[in-house]
Every structure is written in structure tokens, then in C-alpha cells.
Amino acid sequence: MCLGRVVTLVEVAVLIAAGTVAGVFSTVVGLASVVSYPALLAIGLPPLSANMTNTVALLFTGLGAAAGSRPELTGQAARIRRLGLITALGGGAGAALLLITSSQTFVRVAPVLIGAASLVLLLPLGRGGEPGAHDGGPGSHEDGPGAGRPPSRRRRHRHSERNPWLLAGVFGVAIYVGYFGAAGGIVMLALLTAMIIQPLARTNAVKNVLGAVTNTVAAAAFAVFGHVDWAAVVPLAGGFIIGGWTGPALVRRLPGQVLRILVAVCGLAVAVRLGVSAYA
């Protein structure tokens, strides 16, 4: 745990800006770490400490996203409790895995994870691969999952939410988020869209809360057993709160495909840069 490090005003400004952009990316396209992790490296944090510090700061994206997604979260408490338990267990397992990973191993693994995450971001989600692409759209007044659909569709929906393979996938993604997490949100969103029949904005809100649960468990482990730079957490977390709060509003209005492609290209560039440093 790093308590005595002093960050300069320039570093504070960089981290707030990076956190804001990363918070928006987290809630809209699920790739916050492509921005925030390199920002922490840029101010001099070692890779393993940067990842743990990033995870702790990401807690505040979840808080901002939950506050900005209250309309979409209405009526989903039972679903969040059920899936939240699974993601909490997965986040703890991922954190444990990171804590036993050597620094050199992580340096070599991180570019691969960022590159793979950026490629995953290019996969389509639902019809058109954009927020609002599902039936009903972000502004739908659908009363609940499966409302207004034939009984056979509602039965399939209830079954899919308890499909053991999909639930195992949710657990696996939570492990990855606890370990590193870049694009974990987009993979989680893909799983949830296969499980839940409702407008994508509502499903995205569930994804944001589950991500917060996962990061909470992982961050607690890192705070106690890891190497968190608390001086860097504060400004980065402030930016995450701003970005996490404004991100859901963008989900309601923004065509997501162009943004997803832009973030994926930036992510691939970051992966190449880190890969050159790690393997040169």
C-alpha cells in the first residue's frame, strides 16, 4: 500500500481528465482501463500497482453510473441481487489470482489483455450492435422483462436467466474483471443481452451495477493485500464519478457503433505500445 506518494497538480489534472473519459467509456462501451491504466503508467506507477490502483478508483464509476441509471434500474433489484452474488465471488477469485501473479508476468500479460479486449469491443451487440438496438429502444416504456411478448417468449426468457452456462459465463467474466477488467463490461453486456429480454439501456444499467459489485470485492482485497497508490486514487476516482454519472445519459442518446470502433482502435494502439515495451 502506497500512502506517502505526492502527485503534482499536472498529474492530478491528467488523472481527473483520464478518469472522466474512462468513466464514460466504462458505462458506454466497457473499456475504461484502456484510458485509465496507461494514464497511471504515464505518471510513473509500476504496472501491477497501476492495475490495483485503477480497480480501486473504478469503484467510483459504479457509483456514478448507478446514480445516473436510476430510471433504468427500476424493478430490477431481485435480478441484481441474484447476479451480484455470482459476480462478487468471481471478483474475489480474480483479485486473488492477480495477487499471486508476479510483476513481470503481468507486464507481459497486460498488452495481450488490452489487445484482446479491444477486438472484443468490435463484436456486434444485438441488432446493429448499438445501444438501443433491442426491441423497445432506450426510451421504451416496457413494464418489465418480456412484457407484451407471447407467453412462450416469456418462458424462454425466465429459463435463460437461470441457464447454468450463461451464469457460468457471468462468473468467468467477473474473474477477469477482478484480475484486469478491460472490456469485461462489454463481454458481460453480451452475456446479459442473451439472458434478459428488455431494452438495452436497462440491461446496460444492470451491467454497470454488477461491475461495481465485482470491483468492490477486488478493490477490498487490493486495499488490504496489494499495492494501491492512494494519492493517485483520489483524482482518478473524481474523474470516474463524473464520467460514470454522465455515461448513462450518452447511452440513451449516442449511436454507439462509431464510439466503440474509435475506442477499439485506441485500445489496439495502447496494446501495441505496451507490447513493444514488454517484449522488446
Side-chain angles (χ1 to χ4, degrees):
M1 182 182 298
C2 304
L3 296 176
R5 184 179 185 277
V6 176
V7 293
T8 67
L9 289 178
V10 172
E11 290 173 341
V12 167
V14 167
L15 291 176
I16 291 175
T20 301
V21 175
V24 172
F25 283 178
S26 177
T27 56
V28 178
V29 295
L31 206 56
S33 296
V34 162
V35 176
S36 53
Y37 175 71
L40 290 168
L41 295 179
I43 68 168
L45 269 66
L48 204 57
S49 177
N51 186 45
M52 294 181 183
T53 301
N54 186 56
T55 297
V56 173
L58 274 169
L59 288 175
F60 295 89
T61 299
L63 294 176
S69 300
R70 283 176 295 179
E72 288 81 9
L73 291 171
T74 302
Q76 302 203 77
R79 173 179 293 134
I80 289 171
R81 284 195 297 268
R82 182 172 63 253
L83 295 176
L85 176 60
I86 297 172
T87 54
L89 293 173
L97 182 61
L98 183 65
L99 286 168
I100 63 175
T101 299
S102 71
S103 298
Q104 189 56 38
T105 298
F106 184 78
V107 167
R108 292 180 176 273
V109 168
V112 177
L113 296 178
I114 293 178
S118 301
L119 292 175
V120 167
L121 195 61
L122 297 175
L123 297 177
L125 287 177
R127 275 201 304 273
E130 298 183 6
H134 282 240
D135 292 342
S140 172
H141 298 287
E142 192 174 341
D143 292 330
R149 301 180 185 276
S152 60
R153 290 288 301 280
R154 291 198 295 269
R155 283 195 295 271
R156 286 198 297 272
H157 157 68
R158 287 194 295 268
H159 176 72
S160 65
E161 283 208 50
R162 291 164 176 78
N163 184 306
W165 295 107
L166 291 176
L167 293 175
V170 169
F171 179 71
V173 173
I175 292 175
Y176 169 70
V177 171
Y179 183 83
F180 186 67
I186 204 71
V187 180
M188 182 69 77
L189 184 57
L191 283 169
L192 292 176
T193 55
M195 297 171 67
I196 304 168
I197 300 174
Q198 65 177 359
L200 188 57
R202 281 174 57 83
T203 305
N204 190 65
V206 174
K207 179 266 293 181
N208 290 337
V209 174
L210 295 181
V213 170
T214 307
N215 282 324
T216 297
V217 175
F222 298 152
V224 176
F225 302 109
H227 303 280
V228 177
D229 190 317
W230 295 99
V233 164
V234 175
L236 186 61
F240 278 149
I241 291 174
I242 298 170
W245 183 71
T246 56
L250 291 178
V251 171
R252 301 181 192 118
R253 298 176 176 85
L254 191 67
Q257 186 67 8
V258 173
L259 181 59
R260 289 173 60 213
I261 292 173
L262 175 62
V263 176
V265 170
C266 292
L268 289 172
V270 170
V272 170
R273 183 179 180 279
L274 294 179
V276 169
S277 299
Y279 292 97

